[in-house]
Amino acid sequence: MTFGYSRDDAEGKFLLRYVEDKVLPENPFQVLDREGVGQLVKLAVTEGRKTRPDLEIGICGEHGGDPSSIEFCHNNGLNYVSCSPYRVPVARLAAAQAALGAVTRDK
C-alpha cells in the first residue's frame, strides 16, 4: 500500500477529484506510478532475482491492462501481467508493442 489508502475508500470519495485537480497525474489504481511504485517494483525484481534468478514476477489488476504499465513491466523484466477479461485485447496488443519496442510513451 504505497499511497496508504484503499481503493474502495479513495475512488468513492476523493481520488477522482485528485486526478481532476492534478494532485495526482492519473488514477494510481489504473496506471502504475513509475517514479514511486515503479522504483519499488524495480527493487523487488532486482533483489528477488539476486536470491532466486528463476523467480516469476508479475502484476495483476487494472495495471495489467494499461498499455503504459505493461510497457514498464516488460522493460523491467516482469514475466507476466494479468487483467480482467474485458482488458485482454488491449493488454495483448500493448504486450506485443512492448516486446517489439514500439511503445514510446514514457511516464
Side-chain angles (χ1 to χ4, degrees), residues 85-97:
Y86 77 94
R87 295 191 77 164
V88 168
V90 169
R92 291 182 75 181
L93 177 60
Q97 289 174 327

Side-chain angles (χ1 to χ4, degrees), residues 6 13 57 61:
S6 75
K13 297 186 174 100
I57 303 173

Side-chain angles (χ1 to χ4, degrees), residues 45-57 77 79:
V45 171
T46 301
E47 296 300 314
R49 293 219 172 107
K50 277 184 189 176
T51 302
R52 193 168 143 210
D54 62 338
L55 183 65
E56 291 279 321
I57 303 173
N79 300 98

Side-chain angles (χ1 to χ4, degrees), residues 17-92:
R17 179 70 183 258
Y18 279 16
V19 174
E20 289 172 8
D21 291 346
K22 307 291 186 217
V23 173
L24 293 170
E26 298 181 80
N27 183 334
F29 294 107
Q30 295 177 356
V31 179
L32 192 129
D33 166 50
R34 293 182 181 205
E35 291 181 25
V37 176
Q39 296 306 308
L40 295 173
V41 170
K42 288 179 183 181
L43 180 66
V45 171
T46 301
E47 296 300 314
R49 293 219 172 107
K50 277 184 189 176
T51 302
R52 193 168 143 210
D54 62 338
L55 183 65
E56 291 279 321
I57 303 173
I59 63 167
C60 66
E62 295 299 312
H63 300 100
D66 171 62
S68 175
S69 300
I70 291 168
E71 177 194 22
F72 175 85
C73 291
H74 174 78
N75 291 340
N76 287 282
L78 276 72
N79 300 98
Y80 65 89
V81 298
S82 174
C83 63
S84 60
Y86 77 94
R87 295 191 77 164
V88 168
V90 169
R92 291 182 75 181

